[in-house]
């Protein structure tokens, strides 16, 4: 049985679906109860309280602002018979923006592991859904700074591959989209998806920080703005890892926008 922690998130939800469609026994773990595919067991819980009983592999998503240690979580997993973990980390760990403490805990856990370091999620554009619906506007800072954001479905596909095959053990994958796209590019792609022009409205750093603090801890908001405004060459580079794992290129932002056009109409 495979356990998916964070099963209602932008990566966890499609991962649960993919594993279920592949015929795997899946337990979806989330702090809130949600509908799941037929045959999927749903547990309400979080990392601090999670019972790994019955699991042989686990996908771990550490929520923003998590203050606990991952070591006791991993020790419980190993004691319960879990053999393999896939950790959803961040590209910012590899570039020094974020601490590596969770990755280090996984590597020293005694479990078989794979670490995923995705770039920014295409689904972060959902933050503009209300303003696009209300006034066909997207407000963002650093409008011309382009980053290779990734479709969460591609992250889920790589996670599924890592959970199902031992060939990914001990690997750390950097996951990006197929090309860098700026906030202005994203606004244009959303406009194409909804069939009407979407105007880009420049936002100051202070305005952006205020908005991010509505759903992010201060340190995460600050590091996010640093990446958005002054990315390193590594953070702007397109990684080959999605293509290497999946045998196809990653999906472009425009495809994501088209798939979720209904959220912006």
């Amino acid at each position: 049985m495979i356990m998916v922690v964070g099963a209602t998130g932008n990566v966890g939800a499609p991962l649960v679906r993919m594993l279920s469609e592949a015929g795997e026994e899946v337990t979806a773990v989330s702090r809130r109860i949600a509908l799941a595919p037929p045959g999927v067991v749903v547990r309400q819980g979080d990392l601090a309280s999670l019972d790994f009983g019955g699991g042989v592999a686990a996908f771990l998503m550490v929520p923003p602002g998590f203050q606990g240690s991952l070591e006791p979580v991993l020790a419980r997993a190993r004691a319960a018979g879990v053999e393999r973990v896939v950790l959803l980390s961040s590209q910012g760990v590899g570039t020094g923006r974020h601490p590596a403490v969770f990755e280090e805990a996984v590597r020293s856990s005694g479990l078989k592991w794979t670490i995923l370091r995705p770039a920014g999620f295409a689904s972060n554009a959902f933050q503009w859904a209300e303003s696009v619906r209300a006034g066909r506007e997207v407000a963002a800072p650093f409008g011309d700074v382009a980053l290779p954001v990734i479709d969460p479905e591609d992250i889920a596909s790589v996670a599924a591959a890592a959970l199902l095959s031992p060939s990914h053990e001990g690997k750390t994958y950097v996951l990006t989209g197929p090309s860098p796209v700026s906030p202005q590019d994203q606004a244009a792609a959303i406009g194409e998806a909804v069939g009407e022009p979407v105007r880009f409205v420049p936002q100051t750093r202070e305005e952006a920080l205020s908005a991010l603090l509505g759903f992010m801890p201060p340190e995460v908001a600050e590091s996010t703005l640093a990446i958005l405004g002054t990315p390193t060459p590594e953070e702007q580079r397109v990684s080959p890892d999605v293509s290497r794992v999946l045998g196809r290129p990653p999906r472009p932002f425009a495809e994501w926008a088209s798939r979720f056009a209904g959220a912006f109409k």
Side-chain angles (χ1 to χ4, degrees), residues 84 161 165-169 171 173:
R84 177 182 300 133
S165 170
S167 64
H168 304 285
E169 290 170 11
K171 303 285 182 62
Y173 293 126

Side-chain angles (χ1 to χ4, degrees), residues 73-156:
V73 177
L74 295 164
R76 289 202 315 273
R78 187 172 56 191
V82 172
E83 299 173 358
R84 177 182 300 133
V85 294
V86 174
L87 175 69
L88 182 63
S89 185
S90 166
Q91 185 187 36
V93 174
T95 60
R97 304 274 194 181
H98 301 151
V101 59
F102 298 134
E103 291 192 6
E104 292 167 355
V106 166
R107 290 191 176 98
S108 62
S109 66
L111 297 164
K112 300 168 184 176
W113 56 264
T114 305
I115 292 172
L116 311 183
R117 290 178 175 174
F121 290 14
S123 55
N124 289 343
F126 279 136
Q127 67 183 302
W128 302 321
E130 184 177 348
S131 65
V132 173
R133 289 194 302 267
R136 294 294 187 252
E137 288 185 354
V138 161
F142 319 119
D144 59 352
V145 179
L147 292 165
V149 299
I150 182 165
D151 188 328
E153 288 264 342
D154 284 338
I155 304 172

Side-chain angles (χ1 to χ4, degrees), residues 128 139-145 183 200-205 208-209 225 228-229:
W128 302 321
F142 319 119
D144 59 352
V145 179
F200 179 79
V201 179
Q203 197 176 43
T204 67
R205 189 185 190 283
L209 178 61
L225 284 176
L228 294 176

Side-chain angles (χ1 to χ4, degrees), residues 18-104:
M18 291 172 190
L19 293 172
S20 178
E21 289 173 350
E24 296 296 320
E25 209 180 325
V26 182
T27 294
V29 181
S30 176
R31 285 177 290 184
R32 57 186 177 87
I33 297 296
L35 294 176
V40 171
V41 176
V42 178
R43 291 185 191 172
Q44 188 170 17
D46 56 22
L47 285 175
S49 62
L50 181 58
D51 175 10
F52 287 94
V56 295
F59 172 82
L60 302 181
M61 191 280 291
V62 181
F66 179 74
Q67 297 299 316
S69 169
L70 208 55
E71 278 87 352
V73 177
L74 295 164
R76 289 202 315 273
R78 187 172 56 191
V82 172
E83 299 173 358
R84 177 182 300 133
V85 294
V86 174
L87 175 69
L88 182 63
S89 185
S90 166
Q91 185 187 36
V93 174
T95 60
R97 304 274 194 181
H98 301 151
V101 59
F102 298 134
E103 291 192 6
E104 292 167 355

